[in-house]
Amino acid sequence: RFIPVVSRVRIPLSLLRRCDDLRIGLGCRIFFIQIYSNTIICVILSSGVLCNYGKRGLRMSNGKKALIAMSGGVDSSVALHLMQSLGFECVGATMKLYDAKSVVDGQQEDSACGSESATEDAAAVAAHFGIAFHVLSFCDEFRRHVINNFVETYQRGDTPNPCIECNRYLKFGRLIDVMESYGCEVLVTGHYARIERNEETGRYLLKKGKDATKDQSYVLYRMTQKELANTMFPLGEYTKA
């Protein structure tokens, strides 16, 4: 087993061959790489044992199937790796949130969630890990529940938070339905948050991630008991270097 440490390092492109061929330091290896300009973003896996999985709310799969919500970035890619390490059969999915033709002139489309480049990155990660991958078109739902709400909120003089609405209606609304239709038992994302079950009340509790600087529980507060019961946040117990 390996413990993930997300790190930004510079490596000459001449050294870049297959990910598995690269080694950094004693007992370390890279399992995923992204290249931005001249910087190679690496997930470095240092030797170690993933301890206390059961106590942390993560459990061995016993042959279960997981739907991985993939953004093409490091966090969801590490979440995929951790789920495979637990023995889950994983299926990847990326949400297409808007059509490229709708991007305003001059806007950096590649930097946005659900962009074509993000979808391509997610597909490449899925291929690297050898899992099935699906692109889910939620353009209409995204405009109706997120963009329109964003505009209306501003018009009222309030401050909108589109991530909360997207999580509410799409990532933990529609994706739960997709998860069930694919025959998966759990939905997995790369959020830095934790889910625990109160044994006395039987209710699931949403808690902050271990890394206070990366905690994302505040955009997940609308999650229902059904959604909490069917979701896993593998990164919640880790810090991001």
Side-chain angles (χ1 to χ4, degrees), residues 2-227:
F2 294 88
I3 298 176
V5 180
V6 180
S7 180
R8 183 183 295 267
V9 296
R10 292 184 182 275
I11 302 174
L13 292 179
S14 59
L15 294 180
L16 181 59
R17 301 193 299 276
R18 290 175 56 251
C19 294
D20 290 340
D21 290 337
L22 290 173
R23 299 290 187 275
I24 295 183
L26 181 63
C28 298
R29 70 181 177 87
I30 297 174
F31 89 98
F32 179 66
I33 295 175
Q34 284 185 304
I35 302 176
Y36 296 100
S37 298
N38 294 321
T39 301
I40 301 177
I41 310 302
C42 307
V43 175
I44 301 175
L45 302 181
S46 59
S47 297
V49 179
L50 296 176
C51 304
N52 299 325
Y53 254 32
K55 293 181 180 179
R56 292 179 175 182
L58 299 179
R59 60 268 189 191
M60 297 303 291
S61 74
N62 295 321
K64 289 186 178 181
K65 195 173 180 180
L67 177 66
I68 315 296
M70 301 181 65
S71 66
V74 169
D75 293 335
S76 60
S77 302
V78 174
L80 165 58
H81 169 74
L82 292 176
M83 295 304 289
Q84 281 194 332
S85 297
L86 287 173
F88 280 83
E89 177 186 350
C90 297
V91 177
T94 292
M95 300 186 297
K96 180 180 179 181
L97 302 179
Y98 59 90
D99 187 72
K101 296 179 181 179
S102 66
V103 177
V104 178
D105 290 342
Q107 180 178 344
Q108 294 295 319
E109 184 268 343
D110 284 353
S111 66
C113 294
S115 67
E116 290 186 2
S117 62
T119 301
E120 292 172 357
D121 289 342
V125 174
H128 177 78
F129 284 98
I131 67 170
F133 177 73
H134 304 272
V135 179
L136 309 172
S137 180
F138 292 159
C139 298
D140 292 340
E141 293 97 325
F142 185 70
R143 175 167 294 278
R144 182 167 64 253
H145 294 298
V146 181
I147 296 180
N148 290 349
N149 175 270
F150 186 93
V151 173
E152 293 168 1
T153 302
Y154 255 128
Q155 289 176 335
R156 293 197 306 268
D158 297 327
T159 302
N161 190 324
C163 292
I164 291 176
E165 300 305 314
C166 185
N167 286 331
R168 178 185 182 186
Y169 291 106
L170 301 181
K171 187 164 287 183
F172 298 103
R174 292 284 280 113
L175 278 189
I176 290 290
D177 296 334
V178 172
M179 175 201 78
E180 294 174 341
S181 70
Y182 286 170
C184 298
E185 288 85 2
V186 63
L187 172 66
V188 177
T189 77
H191 283 99
Y192 284 85
R194 293 178 292 174
I195 298 173
E196 293 184 6
R197 186 175 184 272
N198 186 310
E199 298 298 334
E200 295 182 359
T201 65
R203 291 181 60 81
Y204 289 88
L205 308 176
L206 175 65
K207 295 191 172 184
K208 292 181 178 181
K210 183 176 180 180
D211 191 335
T213 66
K214 294 295 181 180
D215 172 62
Q216 295 171 304
S217 59
Y218 65 97
V219 295
L220 303 170
Y221 76 92
R222 286 183 177 271
M223 290 184 70
T224 66
Q225 283 294 296
K226 177 183 177 181
E227 291 164 357

